[in-house]
Amino acid sequence: MTQLETELKLLKEEVRNMWELVRTQLVKAKTSLQNFDKDLAREVRSKERRVNAFELKIDRDCEDIFALYTPVAIDLRFLLAVLKINTNLERIGDIAEGIAKHIIVSEKPFSDKLIGAIKIIEMYDESINMVDETLIAFETEDTKLARGVFKQDEFLDNINVSANQLLVEYVKENPDEIDMALYALSIIRKLERVGDQAKNIAEEIIFYVEAKVLKHSHKV
């Protein structure tokens, strides 16, 4: 194994660790939402600093590899993809922190009726699944699995589109819960953005494996 191959292997491991940290942040934010666990939500906010530190280290490591080894072909594409994936993962971490913040500032738990009305848990589970599947696709260079993420993103988009009307109907029946409904709508929007970030990651995986650029294209 060449030194470049060793460095790329170590970088891939770092990215995997970043991925798992971000996933854990999402899961803990979900648990804090379901259990109204403010302490767990505060933990998510506190660990956001680790996510940011990971992002900076991965960026620096990529820059060092560019400078020392001048990679070409798939190695170059891999590094370019990692730089973008790293940014997408950091943004997912930001989203998890944002959801946790809603739990911290809420004065009461989200009612099961509200959560069920707008399908937050279904949306949350699909978001986490997208993060899982993009990680598997990244580790195994499975572009077919990466492409499957696009359909999952449509599922999130559909819930997001229907959320406004569903919440209007909910608030009409439960006018005392307007504040919680607005928090819930914000969470829906954030989870939709998790889907967008996962889709971006899937595009980068396909780019580095197949040398195809899918951004701004409807062809997959």
Side-chain angles (χ1 to χ4, degrees), residues 19-29 43-44 47 96:
W19 224 301
E20 292 182 347
L21 174 59
V22 167
R23 183 193 188 277
T24 298
Q25 290 285 87
L26 271 180
V27 171
K28 287 183 177 180
E43 180 183 327
V44 171
K47 285 190 176 179

Side-chain angles (χ1 to χ4, degrees), residues 25 29 52 54 90 125 175 198 218:
Q25 290 285 87
N52 293 337
F54 250 123
E90 192 276 333
D125 288 342
H218 297 294

Side-chain angles (χ1 to χ4, degrees), residues 29 32-33 36-38 41-42 45 94-110 179-191 193:
S32 70
L33 167 67
F36 196 54
D37 188 337
K38 288 179 179 279
R42 291 187 184 98
R45 293 204 72 191
D94 286 344
I95 292 167
E97 182 195 21
I99 293 171
K101 183 177 179 181
H102 284 313
I103 310 308
I104 294 168
V105 301
S106 297
E107 295 181 358
K108 61 181 180 179
F110 291 86
D179 289 344
M180 300 306 292
L182 290 173
Y183 283 144
L185 181 61
S186 177
I187 291 172
I188 286 287
R189 299 289 188 259
K190 292 179 189 304
L191 292 172
R193 290 199 295 275

